[in-house]
Amino acid sequence: IVDFSFWMLKEAFSKSTIKTRTKLMKRFLKLGADIFNPESVKEIIAKQQWSTGRKCIAVDAYTCFLQMQGLKWEPPIYNRIRKLPFIPTENEADQLIGGCNKRMATFLQLLKETGIRCGEACQLQWKDLDLIEGSIVVTPEKGSNSRKLKISNKLIAMLNEMPKTSNTVFVTNSDALRKSFQHQRKLIAYKLKNPRLQQISFHTFRHWKATMEYHKTRDILHVMQMLGHKNINNTLVYTRLIDFKDDDYLARV
């Protein structure tokens, strides 16, 4: 497993991919799979009560492991069902942000305004911020495009109050940040008697931003560029979340 991790590192896989695939290989072992026997791994995956998406990720992880060994297998075919994401109201998003502590509120406000991924926000460095111009430069992950995005004066003020004790803005790893968020989210949802808040994850803010941006511009290529997508099919899902009954037509020059 250690060799597999180092091999992926040398092959320039992203940190998040290396972490996910390493965890899955350890999980196979814990479940009793013989990782050098593809049929054993195939049986273990089939028996798990995992979602189709997670099984697809597990198949990809094991295919990568065999690639390191110079081997191949006949992988099971799981057709991933892409569900429409949950989109909260802006008031719900703001309530959640307002109820969190200062660091978490700043992190969530950043996600809400820019639609960047959690991992991209965690690796954001102070040198990537232009607080005079009001913009950030995003170092992409998952094969996305790099991009420069505008931020509001409100977010600039929140960032200016953050302690500058490290090169990175949010001095923590994504797992610790996510656990803290889940704890704060549970308390806020209980306090406000709104269980819908429990459905909001870090990635929900990315879905919210993309949906609102498409509603505002009706420009799918603009949304694609903002999200850093290289494949427009990943962006088109947001066109299915908007109902344009409020406008009869759109004039564009």
Side-chain angles (χ1 to χ4, degrees), residues 140-253:
E141 64 173 16
K142 296 189 176 181
S144 297
N145 293 318
S146 58
R147 50 215 188 271
K148 185 176 183 179
L149 302 169
K150 295 289 290 182
I151 58 176
S152 69
N153 290 332
K154 176 182 177 180
L155 179 54
I156 291 173
M158 295 171 77
L159 288 166
N160 278 326
E161 293 183 3
M162 293 282 290
K164 296 178 176 61
T165 56
S166 173
N167 291 331
T168 55
V169 179
F170 303 98
V171 191
T172 185
N173 61 63
S174 58
D175 287 340
L177 201 65
R178 187 171 282 106
K179 287 181 180 178
S180 175
F181 169 67
Q182 290 169 350
H183 175 68
Q184 294 181 60
R185 180 186 62 189
K186 184 177 180 180
L187 294 177
I188 296 166
Y190 176 78
K191 181 180 179 181
L192 298 179
K193 301 294 187 293
N194 184 359
R196 280 169 51 90
L197 298 182
Q198 286 278 53
Q199 298 181 60
I200 300 177
S201 66
F202 285 153
H203 210 67
T204 301
F205 288 95
R206 181 170 170 84
H207 293 315
W208 183 89
K209 176 63 176 177
T211 303
M212 295 303 107
E213 201 69 18
Y214 181 65
H215 183 274
K216 184 171 64 176
T217 65
R218 274 69 159 178
D219 188 342
I220 195 65
L221 294 179
H222 163 72
V223 177
M224 177 183 175
Q225 184 179 32
M226 182 196 72
L227 296 176
H229 286 162
K230 289 186 175 179
N231 187 340
I232 197 170
N233 289 324
N234 295 326
T235 318
L236 287 173
V237 64
Y238 300 106
T239 65
R240 299 161 58 192
L241 300 172
I242 299 295
D243 183 355
F244 289 134
K245 290 179 180 178
D246 56 333
D247 294 318
D248 294 326
Y249 63 88
L250 174 71
R252 175 178 284 124
V253 177

